[in-house]
Amino acid sequence: MSTTGMIQGMKQSMVATPAMQLSMRVLQANDTELQELISEALAANPALEEAQPQTETAEAPNEEYRRFAMESLSAAQTLGEYLEEQIRHSGLPAKTAEAALNLIPWLNEHGFFAEPLATVQQECGLNDKVFQQARLAICDCEPAGVGAQDLRESLILQLHRNGEDKGLSMLLLRDYWEDTVRHRYDKIAKALNIDEKTAELAARRLSRLNPDPGSGFAPTELNIITPDILVEADNGELKVSLARDKSPRLALSAEYRDMMAQHADKPEVRQFLSRCFREGRELIRALQDRNTTILTVATAIVQKQRPFFFHPQTALAPLKMEEIAQITGLHVSTISRAVRGKYLKCSYGVFELRSFFSTAVSTDDVSADAAKHKIREFIAAEDPSHPLSDAKLEALLQAQNIHLARRTIAKYREQLKILPASMRKRR
């Protein structure tokens, strides 16, 4: 069954006005996207113009930076940009498309979700139905295999895309994954009553799939990162401010305002100019609101993670987007847009705003970040000849009132790029 067809059959349940859509687009845009949006508006709207800089020398470096940024980034497209482009042109209902766009930043460089799906859904403030539809929309995108939770699911998606749902290779993925990755073809053959060669050939089919759908795209790290927020510690207080905006300042053209007055007796001309001025005002207002919202959200995040900015070795406190929504009075979807692709600079470095959200993993109010920190500590101190198994890690964590399922421990270990105990053992 086509997931795209199912999604496109839904009724659109939310209609946003053009001004609202513009505001959402401006808020969600990262630095590069904002530069492009403003350039497009200046080219299309004669009533808009760049406000005159204070000095000509100040404008020259500004223009040089914009040109350098555009030339550097236009040559290569990131996976996220490619997926966003497909979603925007997919014809999906507005609510589904918006949800899918909010999910894309949660994908890692391989095209897999970097956090458990339940965490992503909760942080994005989506109900089960919308979340599933949005995720299916991403899974329908190219390259095949994106939107998966892990390698196994990515390979399943790729076989499904090729119409191989009923083949032996799919059966190996679904029911004999551990045996397949460990090349236990004799065990598989016995269980399925087939010969080992048949089992091996089915496994070889999997080796011809793409284990890394995100390969071939420009890594996000290559993008020029311009901090949006500055955080400074001063006498025990934290000062949060907007970084200097490199976007051109926009203003409404006085020349075209005079032209509208001169052509007051020409309805068509006046109507055209009125529309240009209205759209210009909406963009200027959206840019102002963007700055206010990002600063408001960042300030709330900094206050909730205050210990980190004085002692960076401190693990982040559990923090959900709903908490920031309650503090700021903004909707969770607004919080999600405000932190997407935005960066904070402090004395310890530059951090993505989204990275300050860390979900609690147990009733003891311990964050996933803190749990990973403990796992890393335990493994760093282990005896190389007797490395800690996930079961042993589970016991050590429980002793410190951190209650995690063994599957979660394995997932966190993989996210930390730490091999299983059997592969860490040294003689």
Side-chain angles (χ1 to χ4, degrees), residues 131-345:
F131 177 76
Q132 292 301 330
Q133 291 163 343
R135 188 190 170 211
L136 286 174
I138 292 175
C139 291
D140 273 342
C141 290
E142 293 292 340
V146 297
Q149 300 176 78
D150 49 34
L151 173 60
R152 179 188 182 189
E153 189 177 45
S154 177
L155 298 179
I156 288 175
L157 289 172
Q158 292 177 53
L159 285 183
H160 173 72
R161 181 78 63 88
N162 290 332
E164 300 178 52
D165 295 277
K166 297 181 180 180
L168 180 57
S169 296
M170 182 69 86
L171 184 62
L172 296 189
L173 281 178
R174 287 177 171 164
D175 299 336
Y176 300 94
W177 173 246
E178 290 297 328
D179 291 329
T180 299
V181 296
R182 296 183 184 279
H183 307 295
R184 297 171 182 162
Y185 305 130
D186 56 337
K187 187 175 180 180
I188 296 172
K190 185 177 180 180
L192 296 176
N193 194 27
I194 59 177
D195 59 79
E196 286 188 38
K197 189 62 177 178
T198 301
E200 184 179 353
L201 289 174
R204 285 185 183 177
R205 167 71 184 102
L206 301 180
S207 69
R208 293 194 294 273
L209 299 175
N210 186 359
D212 185 0
S215 63
F217 291 87
T220 304
E221 293 90 326
L222 289 181
N223 285 350
I224 298 173
I225 295 179
T226 304
D228 302 270
I229 294 293
L230 300 178
V231 177
E232 298 175 288
D234 183 21
N235 294 325
E237 296 296 326
L238 292 172
K239 294 183 178 180
V240 185
S241 61
L242 289 169
R244 186 172 67 86
D245 188 5
K246 292 184 172 63
S247 301
R249 302 294 179 182
L250 299 183
L252 295 174
S253 169
E255 178 183 351
Y256 274 81
R257 194 185 301 276
D258 292 341
M259 187 183 299
M260 186 165 63
Q262 294 169 6
H263 296 279
D265 57 337
K266 298 178 181 177
E268 291 184 1
V269 175
R270 186 173 181 82
Q271 184 178 10
F272 168 74
L273 292 175
S274 294
R275 178 176 61 80
C276 289
F277 274 103
R278 182 185 70 251
E279 293 176 353
R281 282 192 296 269
E282 289 173 352
L283 178 56
I284 292 172
R285 176 62 182 272
L287 291 170
Q288 293 171 342
D289 289 346
R290 178 184 190 271
N291 286 341
T292 300
T293 301
I294 292 174
L295 180 59
T296 298
V297 171
T299 300
I301 291 173
V302 169
Q303 291 306 318
K304 293 295 290 187
Q305 300 291 7
R306 178 182 173 85
F308 171 84
F309 293 96
F310 291 103
H311 306 286
Q313 69 276 13
T314 305
L316 294 174
L319 181 62
K320 299 178 182 178
M321 290 189 183
E322 285 88 347
E323 294 179 58
I324 300 301
Q326 291 175 359
I327 293 171
T328 60
L330 300 169
H331 194 274
V332 174
S333 63
T334 301
I335 305 298
S336 179
R337 292 189 188 93
V339 301
R340 175 193 175 275
K342 314 304 189 305
Y343 291 84
L344 174 153
K345 182 179 180 182

Side-chain angles (χ1 to χ4, degrees), residues 406-423:
R406 200 170 303 173
R407 180 180 178 183
T408 303
I409 292 173
K411 188 175 185 68
Y412 287 171
R413 175 176 51 72
E414 290 172 0
Q415 290 174 353
L416 292 169
K417 310 298 184 186
I418 298 175
L419 296 171
S422 61
M423 302 181 74

Side-chain angles (χ1 to χ4, degrees), residues 77-106:
Q77 188 178 41
T78 66
L79 175 63
E81 290 168 345
Y82 183 52
L83 294 175
E84 287 180 7
E85 184 178 283
Q86 293 178 71
I87 293 297
R88 293 187 190 281
H89 295 87
S90 63
L92 291 168
K95 190 171 185 178
T96 305
E98 178 190 353
L101 291 172
N102 285 336
L103 293 184
I104 289 173
W106 291 87

